[in-house]
Structure formats: structure tokens, C-alpha cells
Amino acid sequence: MQGDTAVTELCAAIERVGRWRAADVVIVGRGGGSREDLWAFNNERLARTIAACPLPTISAVGHEVDITICDLVADARAATPSAAAETVVRDDAELRAELRGVGARLRRGLTKRVDNAKAELQWQASALRNRLTLKAERGRARMERLGGKLHALSPLATLSRGYAVARGMDGHALTSAGDFQVEMPFNLLLRDGTVHARTMKPERE
Amino acid sequence: MSFEQRLKRLEQIVSELESEQVPLDRALALFEEGVACLRTAAEELGKVEAKVQRLVERADGSFEVTDLRE
């Protein structure tokens, strides 16, 4: 940037970028050259234009030793235009690391959701299992209690004490002498088996 | 007849046998029915228990959700 028109052109360019608003940052740079060129950057009008710019500004005008007014009014100062660009653009490795971090968080979140669902499923399965087992156990307990009662009430229990039950061929109990006729076949139920018998002579008392 | 219905019938039989008035004839018939009822119920329950056992074993073995970590 050299010559008398430098200030006017610089101001116009900065204002244009400011109006455009699509830029993230404005870098005011100078490629190098004689010491007199720097005077354009000590111009008051340019300094005011930079200060008024609605976007963040970086001044990359001189070298380490050449500080201009532009350097002082800009939001940041860089030694060279390249250095200014490096400040603005984020490091590739840094970006990658951040992406990896986000990826890891996403994965952790998903894994957690799946783990939770898995735990819930297993809990439900064991609840179902317990309920089924409990139902079967209760059924068995009730059945065994009834079986015990039934056997305690067995009309055949007396047989073990030496009694016998006489039953007709149709299975009906013969409990009276009047139930028997001469030569009538019947069964005698005993402790350890049945005796097939025939009436000889019924006698009523 | 379901398992529960059989147990209900068994309860009726037991309570009828418990009343002193039941004649020997009736008592014998009830007892025989009760024994048959009990035997069938025990068989059915055994089958159900075996089925539950199989389901439980399968549930234990196959409840592996594929891991998304890798």
C-alpha cells in the first residue's frame, strides 16, 4: 500500500467490509517496504475508521519495532499478515481434538442410554421370572395341603386298623345285612387288597 | 378343568368329608374322586414347573443386548 491515495483506499475498504457484515474479522495488513509507507498507518482518519469498524480488527502493519497508531486502535496486533491469519484461524489439531471430544461425549451418552435400557429389561425379566416361580410354588403348597387333608380324611384309613368294607359289584358300600342276598357276589376291601366273596347266609339281628 | 378348578373341587371334597354325616358310600366315592383330582393336578403342576424352568433358563441365556461401545 503506497502513495497518497493509500489512506482513502484503506478507509473505503474497511468501511465496505464493515457494511458487508459477513466477515468475522478485518485484518489491516502491509507487505513490507520503506519506513515512509508506515506513515499512512499513522493517519488519524484511518485510525478513526478502524476504531469505528463494527467488526473485530487486527492490525498487521509493521514489524516488531514499528508500532503505528493503527496498531494501537485495532482490537489486536500481529507482527505480520501471516501471523494475523494464524491468530484468526484455529489450529487444525485443536479442532480435531475438540471434534474427538464431542464424538466421545455423544458415544458416552448413547452407551449410557443403552445400558439403562438393558438394566431395565433385565430387571423386568427377573421380576417376571420371580412372579412365575412364586405362582407355581404357591400352587404346589396349596395342592399339598389339600392332599394331606384328603388322606387324613380317607374312609379307608380304618382298614389299617383291621376293619373291612363290603362293596357290591357296582361299587356301592354294603352296610346292612339287608343289602345281601344268598349267593350274591361282593367285594371285601381290606388294608392290602380286595377279596372277591359270595354271600352264604345273611342274618339280620 | 384348570389347575385352579381342580384345587377348588378338592377343597369341596375335603370339606364334605370333614362333615361327620357323610355316609360311607358317599365318602368312598368322594375320596376316590379326590385322589384322581389330586393326581391330575400334580401332573399338570409338574408340567407347568418344567415349562417355567425352561423359560427361566432361556431368559438367563439370551438376555444379552449387543454392546454399542465398539
Side-chain angles (χ1 to χ4, degrees):
Chain A
M1 197 63 69
Q2 288 170 339
D4 297 336
T5 53
V7 170
T8 312
E9 281 174 21
L10 275 168
C11 289
I14 291 167
E15 278 163 1
R16 208 161 48 242
V17 176
R19 278 197 304 275
W20 182 40
R21 295 288 177 108
D24 294 319
V25 68
V26 178
I27 298 172
V28 182
R30 186 188 71 114
S34 69
R35 204 170 174 81
E36 283 71 43
D37 293 340
L38 280 173
W39 285 107
F41 296 93
N42 279 322
N43 181 278
E44 184 190 341
R45 201 179 129 216
L46 180 59
R48 288 191 184 279
T49 306
I50 290 171
C53 182
L55 298 168
T57 50
I58 299 178
S59 170
V61 171
H63 306 285
E64 299 291 340
V65 288
D66 308 321
I67 295 176
T68 63
I69 295 176
C70 283
D71 291 329
L72 299 173
V73 294
D75 293 304
R77 177 180 184 248
T80 62
S82 311
E86 276 169 27
T87 329
V88 170
V89 178
R90 291 185 57 193
D91 183 47
D92 177 70
E94 197 183 307
L95 266 175
R96 280 175 191 279
E98 190 171 312
L99 270 179
R100 268 200 303 277
V102 170
R105 273 173 60 197
L106 202 62
R107 209 157 45 237
R108 269 200 300 280
L110 196 62
T111 308
K112 199 171 171 221
R113 288 281 297 275
V114 172
D115 283 350
N116 287 349
K118 191 169 150 185
E120 170 73 11
L121 202 60
Q122 264 161 354
W123 190 85
Q124 292 285 3
S126 86
L128 188 67
R129 206 147 58 215
N130 293 346
R131 189 164 280 218
L132 265 176
T133 313
L134 187 67
K135 203 161 171 60
E137 277 170 4
R138 281 194 180 148
R140 176 158 292 278
R142 187 168 162 220
M143 190 189 76
E144 281 170 359
R145 187 170 45 79
L146 283 169
K149 273 190 180 176
L150 184 71
H151 281 285
L153 290 165
S154 169
L156 304 178
T158 47
L159 300 186
S160 63
R161 302 208 303 268
Y163 291 89
V165 178
R167 294 212 283 183
M169 298 314 281
D170 58 358
H172 274 268
L174 307 168
T175 54
S176 154
D179 293 337
F180 295 84
Q181 281 97 46
V182 179
E183 290 299 316
M184 185 186 95
F186 65 95
N187 290 321
L188 263 182
L189 209 57
L190 296 159
R191 170 171 54 86
D192 54 356
T194 304
V195 173
H196 304 290
R198 197 177 290 277
T199 314
M200 291 175 72
K201 185 186 177 195
E203 260 178 35
R204 300 187 74 166
E205 282 177 5
Chain B
M1 212 188 276
S2 74
F3 179 75
E4 276 75 17
Q5 284 169 325
R6 270 184 228 288
L7 288 199
K8 193 150 265 176
R9 176 71 192 129
L10 208 52
E11 251 163 24
Q12 289 168 352
I13 289 169
V14 165
S15 72
E16 195 175 334
L17 281 175
E18 272 169 344
S19 65
E20 300 285 325
Q21 313 303 327
V22 59
L24 182 63
D25 234 11
R26 176 82 181 139
L28 279 170
L30 282 173
F31 182 72
E32 274 166 4
E33 189 192 341
V35 168
C37 222
L38 197 62
R39 183 175 299 133
T40 317
E43 277 170 15
E44 281 173 353
L45 187 64
K47 276 183 210 159
V48 167
E49 281 171 338
K51 203 169 183 173
V52 168
Q53 193 55 42
R54 273 204 308 281
L55 283 172
V56 165
E57 279 163 8
R58 196 186 310 165
D60 278 347
S62 61
F63 261 100
E64 270 307 313
V65 178
T66 313
D67 223 310
L68 286 182
R69 252 175 279 243
E70 283 307 317

